[in-house]
Amino acid sequence: TTTTSSSSSFSRRSCCSKSRRAVVVTNVTKWMLDAPDCEKARTGNLDRVQSAPRHCPIAAIDVNRLCQSSGGVLQVDNNAVRFEVSGKDGQDLRVQAVHGSFMLSNKGHTMKIGQKKKMKVKPGQLIIFEDGEAYEVYRNTEAHA
């Protein structure tokens, strides 16, 4: 024979009868620019950091912060581009030349972008300025509950 005490059945009921709250998860998309091969050198072991290319900036450029502080404008020598973060949770990034022009490269395909054209940028693409300075586009999406 099996006996069940009333306290154990009470515990099961009270466990299951607690009110449930809906958890809202929000995503935050962070866009960064870094010189090619520099991001890889900043993460990982010390050997990678010591062998990093000399052209690496001290830190990657935070595009979201750039949009808040200077209207998204990045000046490189005589060239300037404007970034715009849009879409749900900031998932879209667009870039437009303000002064001069730049090249947008992805997997061996490169196109020159003039001042009137606004282009959607994807992670992994290179933005190459007229002087040859290049930045790779990175996207990091963080979820917060």
Side-chain angles (χ1 to χ4, degrees):
T1 60
T2 312
T3 58
T4 306
S5 73
S6 62
S7 64
S8 66
S9 67
F10 174 74
S11 298
R12 276 190 224 133
R13 267 188 251 132
S14 65
C15 163
C16 299
S17 66
K18 288 184 181 178
S19 64
R20 295 182 184 178
R21 292 186 218 168
V23 176
V24 177
V25 177
T26 58
N27 293 324
V28 176
T29 304
K30 294 184 179 182
W31 291 94
M32 306 294 282
L33 298 176
D34 208 348
D37 298 323
C38 294
E39 190 272 340
K40 293 174 190 165
R42 286 195 191 93
T43 59
N45 63 30
L46 189 56
D47 293 335
R48 279 187 173 173
V49 174
Q50 292 172 343
S51 66
R54 295 199 186 277
H55 65 275
C56 291
I58 294 171
I61 298 167
D62 184 335
V63 176
N64 299 70
R65 184 172 288 149
L66 187 70
C67 289
Q68 293 170 353
S69 65
S70 68
V73 176
L74 175 65
Q75 180 88 29
V76 176
D77 291 330
N78 294 327
N79 300 299
V81 295
R82 175 178 287 121
F83 290 97
E84 179 184 297
V85 176
S86 62
K88 185 178 186 242
D89 301 322
Q91 291 184 4
D92 295 326
L93 179 65
R94 288 182 168 63
V95 63
Q96 177 180 8
V98 177
H99 299 292
S101 62
F102 65 95
M103 309 241 298
L104 197 54
S105 180
N106 189 26
K107 299 179 183 173
H109 177 69
T110 303
M111 66 160 91
K112 187 172 184 175
I113 310 299
Q115 290 184 14
K116 295 188 179 190
K117 195 163 189 176
K118 191 182 286 189
M119 295 295 298
K120 187 172 182 177
V121 184
K122 297 176 184 169
Q125 285 187 297
L126 289 177
I127 297 172
I128 308 165
F129 292 93
E130 290 176 352
D131 68 350
E133 191 168 340
Y135 291 95
E136 188 169 354
V137 178
Y138 293 92
R139 179 179 65 192
N140 184 16
T141 303
E142 298 173 353
H144 299 279

